[in-house]
Structure formats: C-alpha cells, structure tokens
Amino acid sequence: METRIRLTVDGRQRETSVDTRTTLLDLLRERLDVTSPKKGCDHGQCGSCTVLLDGRRHLTCLALAVAYDGSEVVTAAGLTGSEGDDETLHPVQQAFLDHDGYQCGYCTPGQVCSAVGVLRELGEGHPSHVTEDLTGPVAADDDELRERMSGNLCRCGAYPGILAAVREVAGQPAGGIA
Amino acid sequence: MSAVEQPVTPLERDAIRSVGTAHPRVDGPLKVAGRAAYAVEHREAPYDARPLHAWLVQSTVARGRVLAVDAARAVAHPGVVSVLDHTSAPRLQEGEDRELEVLQDDRVDFRGQIVAVVLAETSEAAREAAGLVEVAYDEQSHQAAFEETEDTYEPETVNPEMPARTEEGDVDGALAGAAVVVDATYETPVEHNNPLEPHAAIAHWDGEVLTLADSTQGVHPVAQTLAPLLGLEQAQLHVVAPYVGGGFGSKGVPHAPEMAVVLAAMTQPGRAVRLAVTRQQMFALTGHRTPTRSHFRLGADADGRLVAIEHEVLEPTSRWKEFGEQTAAPTRMMYAARNRRTGHRLVPLDVAVPSWMRAPGEMPGMFAHEVAMDELAVACGLDPIELRVRNEPDVDPETGKPFSRRGLVDCLRRGAERFGWSERPAEARATLEGDWWVGTGVAAATYPAMLNPGNEARISAADGGHYDVAIGAVDIGTGARTVLQQIAADALGVDASCIRLRIADTDLPPATVAGGSSGTASWGAAIVATAQRFRADHGDAPDPGVWTQAEATDAQSEDHALHSFGASFAEVRVHRWTGEVRVPRLLGVYSVGRVINPVTARSQLIGGLVMGMSVGLFEESYRDPRTGHVVTQDLATYHVASHADVRDLQVEWLDEEDPLASPVGGRGIGEIGVVGTAASIANAAFHATGTRVRSIPVTADRFL
Ligand code: FES
Ligand code: FES
C-alpha cells in the first residue's frame, strides 16, 4: 500500500508516495537519495541512522515514514552551511575533524546529529541516567557526554576523539585526544 | 600499462618532511557531512537507474540437501522480479573455494547458507518476499559443538601458510625438571568482526563488463578472486570501493554475498542490483573469529627464566572449507626458551567458515600466552614486567635472525613509568575502594611487519608542478588516503598539496589487501619505488604527461626478524557484590617503527585498544549446537564497547624508524592495539580480586 507524504529534508520540501512498510531511513536512503544517515543495524541498536527529527535526535530505522507526514528532518548533510560557493561545516562537524573523531566515517553522520541533539538537551536541562542533581542545570561533564552518546556505536573505536569533539563544542576546555 | 621492477631505497631522513607530521584526514569533510559514498550509495553511471534490490534467503538447517525451493508466493508478491535458486542461478567455473560456490548445487553445509536470492523493485518487496520463499530440505545430522571429536586433525598449514607444528629441544624433559610449571588452558569465544557498515555491494552487468561498487578491503583481490569463477577476464571486472565502513578482516576476502549479488546482476543485464547484507545475516555469511582453546605449559627455573614453552591449540574449522587460525604463531617468537613446541589441531564442524578478524592468531594466542606469563610471575613471586625482561631473547627464537628492533622492554618500561606501576601492591586482592576491588595488570603485544609483493604505483607529471599518483589500494578508515599522499610527497620531494592521489579502483595499478597491518608498508613501498624510478627517468622538472609505473623490489630485509611490539596496562575495578567489571584506565605503548601520521596513527591504535577492551569484556557469539544457529545475531546481544565503557584510554609510541621493515620506516599499526589488551584486563582483574579468569570475555559471573 502506498501513501503520499510531505517532508522537509535538509531544508528542501519533498513530497513522495511511500510504501507503508517503509522506514524513514529507507525512504531517505533508497527513495530520496539522502544517504547521509547510515544503516548499521536497522534495529535501533547502533545509532548510525540518527537524524534530527523536528529538532530532536531520532533513530530513523525505527520510524515508519507514513507516521511522520509533515515533519522536518535534518541530517548531517543538512547541518552544513555555506559561505559564497563554499560549504562550511557545523561547529560539531569541525570539532570531529579537529579531534579525528572517526576513522571509517560510517557512524559519523549519526554521531554528529546525536552530538547536536545532546548539546540541545543539555542546554534545555534534560537529565540523564548519570545526572546526580535533578533540580538544577545539567553540567556537560565527560560522564554526561559519554552516557548521552552511548546510543551511537563506533566500531572503529573513535570514542576518545568523539568525546573531545563534543566536549569542545560544549564549551569545556578541550583536552584534546592526546 | 606494464610496470618496471625497481629496487627501492629507504627514504633518507632529510627527505622526511610531510611524513611524521599531523596531517588531518583528507576525506574528513566528506565524512562528517555524510557525503562520502559507501557501497550501495553509489548513484553515478552505471548505477544511476533505480537499482533492483536483492535479498538473501538462508538455510534453516545446518546440514543436508535442498529438495525444493517453492518461490510461487514470493514471485506473486507485487514488485518481485525473480527468485534465484540452485536450479536457476548462472553456472560458475570450477574453483577451489566452496564458500563462493553460491547457488551451484543442492548441498547445505551450514545453517544460514544462501539458498535463494530474491530480486525486487524495492527493498520492502524483496524482504517480504524472502520470507515467502519456502524451502524443503532433506536434513542430515550435523556437528556444531566445539569439542574433541574423532575427526579432529592436524592441518598441514595454518593461516596464511605457516607450519601447523614446530618443535625444538626436549619440552617434556625440561618441564619435568623445571622449578616452576604453569599448566593451564585458555579460551577465546566465537567473535564477529561487525564493521559498522554491513557488507554491501551494487553490481551492474552490461554483457561485457561487470561493474561492482563493493564494501571491501581490496578491490584488486576481489576482481582476482571472482573473475576466473565467473569465466571472465580480470579486465572485465571493474571494482571500486572509495569509502568502506570498516572491515577488521571480514572484508579482506570476498564472501558469499558478493558472489550472490554478482550472479543476480548477471541475470539482469543493463540493470544495477544492490545487496545490503543485514546485520543478522552477517553472523552467518561474512566470516568470524574461530573460538580457540590454548593449552599452555610453561616451565621456568627458580629465577623465572623459561626453560620450556608449549602451546597446543585446539580450534574449529568448517568441515567444507579449511581455515586454521595461526593462534600459536606469536608464541614461536615471543620469549626465549631452549625447549619449545607449538601445534594446532582442528575440529571440523558443520558451521560457517571462520576467517580473518583483526590480528588473527596474535589476538587469541597472545591472550593465552600473556595470562600464562602473569600466572608464571605469580608462581615465581616476580613482578610481571621483570619476568618478561628476564625472558627477552637475543635473536628471534624461531628463525635465529636478529630483530630489526625489539622494542618490548622499552614499551614495558615507558608504560610502567607513565601508568604509575611502581605504586602497585605486589599482592592480589589488596585494594578495596568502597565496594570495588581495584587492580592493575600488564600484558605484552606483538605483530609481524608484513610487506606484500604485487603492488604497483603509477606517477604522472601534471601541470603546475602537480603529480597524479595512482594505486588500487583501499582506505577502510585507516587513513591510507591521507598517509599515501604524504609518502608520495616525500618520495617525490614536493609539498603534499602537489599530490593528487587516486585509489580504490581496479582501473588503477594492482594493490594488495588492506589487511595484516601491511597496507601502508606495501603500498608505500610501491609509491616510493615508482617515485625513485620516475625521477631517474624524467628528472626533477618533468614535462606534463610523462609517467612511470613500477613495482618495488628489495623493500624489506630478509635477514632480520621484523616485528612490532607493545605493552598494555589496565586498571580494572570489580564490584564486590555484583561482579560488575569496569576498566577506568587503559594505556598502550607501542614500538611500531616510524609513524607516518600521528593523527591517523593515534586513532588506529586507540581503535585497536578499544576493540581489545571490547573483546576482553563483552564480545561473544553463542552458537546453539543443536541447530548450528548463532543466536547472538545483532548488536543488542553481541555487545561491543560503547562510549560509556571507554574512560581514560591513552596510547603512545616510541620515537623510532625501521628502514629494514619498509622504505618509509614504519611497521604497520592496524592490528597491534587489539593484541594483549584483553590479557592485561584479565591480569588486572586477577590482581583486583585474586580470581584467575582464563577465558574472555571477563564477565561479572566469574567473580560471584
Ligand atoms: S540503523 Fe538505526 S540504530 Fe542502527
Ligand atoms: S568511524 Fe568507523 S564506526 Fe565510527
């Protein structure tokens, strides 16, 4: 069965008909040729399909596309900006480069989207499993960042570089990965 | 284009300019934006039309015959184009690799084998139809439990072509007279590589040329392996792999899914066919690390000097294709002892064939050896570092050749200093902090410096002082694309910005696999040799358009034993009531020759250490012997290290160069980080709790 839906993907209006069995991830990758979100497991276990869905990080492999008619999707590719003809990177993306927070790059677009989502959640004061004080603002310390980024697996093991990148953008003194 | 053979001279020290500097990854901007195209993401010609989607149907019995494949309901599903089985798939030429004989006969050799392939217009249709294919089997009895059987045998060789058995001196006599003996068995489980990008490929057949965008560690090896089976000339197979989402060995050789998508594409000339193997399917179809059982007997005199080393390995292979892991290989060169014996015996099982996983041989073998050494240190009342220092060989015990550099003791001493080893209590179970037993442990690491023949590079002069450098190597995340540019720059004596490097395409000169930590040395040697020949032929101011293609000879000393070394130090905390195991600190110090790029090298070593911790604490695949089915077939049941597991994790390397090992002076770094790490964790857990764990993963239940 096919249904027509409308989405905004990385700032572009997309209208398409989808098989009702289609996940948001497959819609993006296989129908709309938006391949920035990756498929690592298709089961919500690796985080590589993470995008910002209506502003919050979301696993697209666990979302049926028909349920998101009218939504706004921002992928890692949509986080970049431009200056003249040149593409500029989002501060989180730049920090991943500066700290070599990746190797093969397959988990990276998901890590980047997750990190942007994490920084927003911290800014809004959302507590996590490791937050001690549930009454005040949440500090973006290493334990918080590690905990919140743990839904994004990196088989290349770039975690120290990823942590350094997110920590830097969170405004903490950058420890580097050395 | 044909290549000349060029004896290569190691790069002079004053030519080293870009090499050794922190060059950011050249493909970084594409990767962080998600614009790097991995296998099935290719949309350029000939993949531009909407590809067909292939879906694999797998056997549900461990051994038997396919009686019938009933695809009627599948074919009737909207969007389905065809279903291939062993009666309808294109025929292959005779070969010697049973794993690649996909859909060629009715034999089922293991649970999860490909028995049919569905082709459909969408992935949803293909997937649903795969569930509608009904396969009838004549099921036969199977053996999937790893235990001694009457079929157990000693192979002629183990991977890649090492003798299965070595023996020197009188091991039994020396053990009988030894003051101290450690006699214990160590085990490692089935592990799956699980690169984050599942195996995937998109194929297109135009009747003449087969084009394949593959997720592989070697484009040329894929073409070399598949072409003869398909009855094609190698030039008719065009393989590219510009971006690969990790491999760790499982993408080092083509596996059955690659053949499946190629066969499917050949039934649909003019139409691209894509196959994205699912995470679940990878647990049966794309290789794994075989479980190992290492029986060690170490004999030492009262001072802890080894008089005998014996390492006997028992491990499974598949019954239908032999793969013997070289688990005892590192034992042959690691420590000095006059009397030494190593051997491997294989138990043939009706299971998927084991294959390479990061440091095959060294990872499981050194886990066993280094825990045994820790036990010996305890038995001798010696500090574990001192024990290793006392057993340093003067020359390679196996070959008698001098080591180009034996950096082990330097790594141990440097690591001890940095880790604060001198503060360590000598006794186990000495420190309780709150509810946590705390301990530290050390283990040695080693990995051979391999340099493969069969690599060629092509260098052409371009306008404006630029050079085009081409080699069919692959960057699976190692940083090859970046470091080869640096090597080419120094070899030609120009700035790195003058180099335009092309890789990952079989249209480029032949290159060997990104595996065995051999890539940078092997491909780099070809580039250096070609640059030297290019300068000799065309001078320092070449006319645009002139080119040279060459293969390196004499790239590595044959008179030396060439090995990297390392030492890993772990702090482990074990919860006194729950047994929970944590690793708050991990340090690896390595002797790897010259480091080409400290940025990518650090990430490689860190990644190895993280995987070493991951296998030490979490990774274990469970195969149900009743069905032959790997039940832990996703990332929720097969655990790998996540962000929260990795705490204070540091790596460093010794400042050195090894021109005997490779023309650029490096010895390869991709694998050594995963060696020894799990042993340092098990040894630290013993120091924390007094409980000796002789198998990985080191899980909570061991301490309760
Ligand atoms: S692909 Fe969505 S979590 Fe793994
Ligand atoms: S960079 Fe390879 S999985 Fe994270």
Side-chain angles (χ1 to χ4, degrees):
Chain A
M1 198 181 111
E2 300 259 332
T3 307
R4 282 202 85 69
I5 63 166
R6 264 199 288 178
L7 291 171
T8 309
V9 181
D10 292 338
R12 256 179 83 195
Q13 290 278 351
R14 309 289 295 257
E15 183 165 351
T16 178
S17 85
V18 290
D19 188 317
T20 50
R21 294 168 296 188
T22 303
T23 63
L24 193 49
L25 179 60
D26 287 344
L27 171 67
L28 291 167
R29 286 174 61 81
E30 295 171 12
R31 310 272 179 112
L32 303 180
D33 286 340
V34 177
T35 52
S36 175
K38 305 300 180 198
K39 184 184 283 190
C41 70
D42 216 14
H43 274 53
Q45 297 162 352
C46 75
S48 60
C49 63
T50 307
V51 302
L52 295 160
L53 182 65
D54 294 327
R56 301 188 58 177
R57 55 194 177 127
H58 207 96
L59 300 177
T60 50
C61 71
L62 291 187
L64 286 172
V66 281
Y68 294 90
D69 186 22
S71 292
E72 188 193 9
V73 173
V74 176
T75 74
L79 287 170
T80 59
S82 58
E83 226 170 61
D85 286 344
D86 293 338
E87 184 173 88
T88 54
L89 295 177
H90 184 279
V92 167
Q93 291 169 323
Q94 186 61 46
F96 269 67
L97 285 193
D98 294 344
H99 295 277
D100 207 44
Y102 57 102
Q103 286 201 68
C104 75
Y106 199 76
C107 73
T108 313
Q111 302 271 5
V112 164
C113 288
S114 235
V116 171
V118 162
L119 295 172
R120 281 185 196 160
E121 288 156 26
L122 283 166
E124 289 165 8
H126 297 189
S128 81
H129 174 65
V130 299
T131 309
E132 298 276 348
D133 175 7
L134 298 180
T135 59
V138 188
D141 60 26
D142 286 358
D143 278 347
E144 283 285 356
L145 297 178
R146 287 190 184 108
E147 170 66 23
R148 288 164 194 263
M149 291 298 293
S150 279
N152 290 78
L153 298 177
C154 176
R155 188 56 162 158
C156 296
Y159 300 124
I162 296 169
L163 177 69
V166 185
R167 181 202 286 140
E168 179 180 280
V169 183
Q172 291 187 344
I177 57 170
Chain B
M1 284 184 237
S2 64
V4 291
E5 290 199 346
Q6 170 70 27
V8 59
T9 319
L11 284 184
E12 298 286 344
R13 249 186 229 170
D14 59 7
I16 303 281
R17 296 211 168 93
S18 181
V19 165
T21 63
H23 205 302
R25 232 172 257 271
V26 294
D27 47 15
L30 283 179
K31 284 181 174 175
V32 296
R35 292 201 210 284
Y38 297 80
V40 289
E41 298 171 1
H42 286 264
R43 286 296 174 272
E44 74 279 11
Y47 314 116
D48 43 1
R50 284 272 156 232
L52 285 173
H53 295 257
W55 207 277
L56 305 176
V57 179
Q58 297 173 275
S59 73
T60 53
V61 302
R63 198 165 148 259
R65 303 225 165 242
V66 174
L67 294 175
V69 175
D70 180 355
R73 287 207 300 148
V75 173
H77 188 80
V80 172
V81 172
S82 64
V83 175
L84 294 178
D85 64 21
H86 65 281
T87 65
S88 56
R91 294 299 96 185
L92 294 169
Q93 307 295 308
E94 290 258 322
E96 283 170 6
D97 187 347
R98 175 75 189 155
E99 188 182 6
L100 296 176
E101 291 171 19
V102 176
L103 301 181
Q104 296 300 298
D105 56 47
D106 61 357
R107 224 174 91 194
V108 176
D109 295 315
F110 65 100
R111 169 126 182 176
Q113 179 182 318
I114 300 169
V115 290
V117 178
V118 178
L119 288 181
E121 297 289 345
T122 66
S123 62
E124 294 82 15
R127 179 182 199 160
E128 183 147 355
L132 299 174
V133 175
E134 285 172 36
V135 184
Y137 300 95
D138 168 22
E139 190 174 354
Q140 294 159 7
S141 67
H142 69 270
Q143 166 80 26
F146 172 29
E147 61 202 11
E148 282 266 13
T149 67
E150 57 192 29
D151 295 339
T152 302
Y153 69 101
E154 186 167 304
E156 271 171 32
T157 59
V158 288
N159 178 62
E161 274 169 36
M162 299 186 182
R165 180 160 292 280
T166 61
E167 180 137 18
E168 210 180 306
D170 174 13
V171 169
D172 298 316
L175 281 168
V180 185
V181 172
V182 168
D183 181 338
T185 299
Y186 305 88
E187 295 182 320
T188 65
V190 177
E191 292 162 2
H192 281 83
N193 311 52
N194 277 310
L196 204 63
E197 181 203 16
H199 291 232
I202 181 164
H204 180 274
W205 169 244
D206 68 4
E208 244 338 279
V209 173
L210 185 93
T211 315
L212 188 69
D214 195 8
S215 187
T216 178
Q217 292 172 227
V219 288
H220 284 284
V222 167
Q224 284 154 5
T225 307
L226 298 189
L229 296 173
L230 296 166
L232 300 177
E233 296 298 322
Q234 214 169 292
Q236 290 176 276
L237 214 61
H238 181 200
V239 186
V240 299
Y243 294 96
V244 178
F248 314 111
S250 69
K251 295 173 184 169
V253 290
H255 293 290
E258 272 136 310
M259 186 58 96
V261 69
V262 164
L263 289 175
M266 291 182 106
T267 67
Q268 302 288 329
R271 189 91 199 260
V273 178
R274 92 199 269 284
L275 171 65
V277 180
T278 69
R279 179 63 59 189
Q280 287 73 14
Q281 291 167 342
M282 286 170 63
F283 284 79
L285 289 171
T286 57
H288 64 276
R289 192 194 297 282
T290 202
T292 69
R293 205 166 285 166
S294 286
H295 181 205
F296 255 96
R297 288 197 296 165
L298 297 178
D301 65 21
D303 296 332
R305 288 199 170 73
L306 286 163
V307 295
I309 301 173
E310 181 186 58
H311 185 181
E312 291 285 354
V313 180
L314 184 72
E315 59 199 15
T317 177
S318 66
R319 195 190 302 280
W320 48 276
K321 174 180 175 180
E322 184 181 281
F323 180 88
E325 212 212 45
Q326 70 275 37
T327 308
T331 307
R332 295 171 182 170
M333 49 63 64
M334 198 60 202
Y335 298 112
R338 188 152 304 152
N339 307 291
R340 296 177 305 118
R341 179 192 292 147
T342 66
H344 300 80
R345 289 183 314 128
L346 302 180
V347 184
L349 298 180
D350 303 301
V351 300
V353 63
S355 188
W356 301 337
M357 180 163 161
R358 204 173 197 173
E362 277 75 15
M363 198 297 279
M366 287 294 284
F367 166 74
H369 202 346
E370 289 302 296
V371 178
M373 288 297 279
D374 203 63
E375 298 205 52
L376 183 64
V378 172
C380 295
L382 271 179
D383 178 84
I385 293 179
E386 177 57 26
L387 174 75
R388 287 169 175 87
V389 172
R390 287 190 190 178
N391 287 291
E392 270 288 280
D394 298 328
V395 295
D396 177 1
E398 189 183 20
T399 61
K401 294 178 185 176
F403 288 97
S404 67
R405 165 102 173 93
R406 173 117 185 160
L408 176 59
V409 172
D410 291 341
C411 291
L412 287 164
R413 295 223 159 106
R414 173 69 192 133
E417 185 188 315
R418 191 161 163 189
F419 200 72
W421 189 255
S422 58
E423 327 267 290
R424 180 186 198 249
E427 293 299 306
R429 207 176 175 87
T431 310
L432 186 66
E433 287 180 11
D435 281 332
W436 296 85
W437 291 107
V438 185
T440 52
V442 66
T446 189
Y447 200 80
M450 292 188 253
L451 195 150
N452 294 323
N455 286 276
E456 297 174 15
R458 184 166 62 239
I459 295 179
S460 333
D463 289 329
H466 286 85
Y467 294 85
D468 290 310
V469 178
I471 181 164
V474 177
D475 186 337
I476 59 170
T478 56
R481 195 176 261 114
T482 309
V483 301
L484 294 182
Q485 184 181 347
Q486 294 177 270
I487 291 171
D490 287 358
L492 285 164
V494 300
D495 193 78
S497 61
C498 298
I499 304 295
R500 297 189 305 218
L501 178 78
R502 288 181 62 210
I503 60 168
D505 188 324
T506 49
D507 281 350
L508 308 176
T512 50
V513 66
S517 298
S518 67
T520 304
S522 309
W523 310 325
I527 289 174
V528 173
T530 306
Q532 289 169 351
R533 183 64 176 237
F534 179 93
R535 286 296 185 220
D537 288 354
H538 306 299
D540 286 341
D543 292 330
V546 301
W547 59 272
T548 297
Q549 181 161 336
E551 174 177 5
T553 62
D554 309 325
Q556 194 175 53
S557 168
E558 287 173 7
D559 304 326
H560 292 82
L562 307 165
H563 298 267
S564 285
F565 291 92
S568 63
F569 292 79
E571 177 183 322
V572 165
R573 295 181 166 241
V574 180
H575 196 275
R576 68 194 294 203
W577 305 122
T578 66
E580 182 181 345
V581 188
R582 296 273 118 200
V583 180
R585 269 197 313 149
L586 204 52
L587 167 69
V589 180
Y590 299 99
S591 157
V592 290
R594 174 175 281 126
V595 164
I596 318 291
N597 180 337
V599 173
T600 53
R602 183 176 299 283
S603 292
Q604 278 273 73
L605 293 169
I606 283 177
L609 214 55
V610 169
M611 193 180 280
M613 171 206 265
S614 189
V615 295
L617 294 181
F618 309 119
E619 296 186 31
E620 177 171 27
S621 289
Y622 180 75
R623 184 188 286 124
D624 186 337
R626 296 167 304 178
T627 60
H629 180 56
V630 177
V631 294
T632 46
Q633 54 162 1
D634 61 20
L635 296 171
T637 46
Y638 186 89
H639 288 176
V640 303
S642 76
H643 274 278
D645 299 309
V646 176
R647 318 299 296 188
D648 177 2
L649 185 143
Q650 310 276 344
V651 299
E652 79 172 59
W653 50 83
L654 306 179
D655 186 17
E656 56 184 43
E657 59 190 17
D658 191 347
L660 295 169
S662 75
V664 193
R667 278 195 301 262
I669 51 176
E671 275 150 301
I672 192 163
V674 83
V675 181
T677 315
S680 68
I681 289 172
N683 293 342
F686 170 80
H687 186 240
T689 63
T691 301
R692 181 60 71 181
V693 177
R694 298 192 178 89
S695 60
I696 47 175
V698 179
T699 45
D701 51 305
R702 317 301 186 90
F703 304 100
L704 299 179

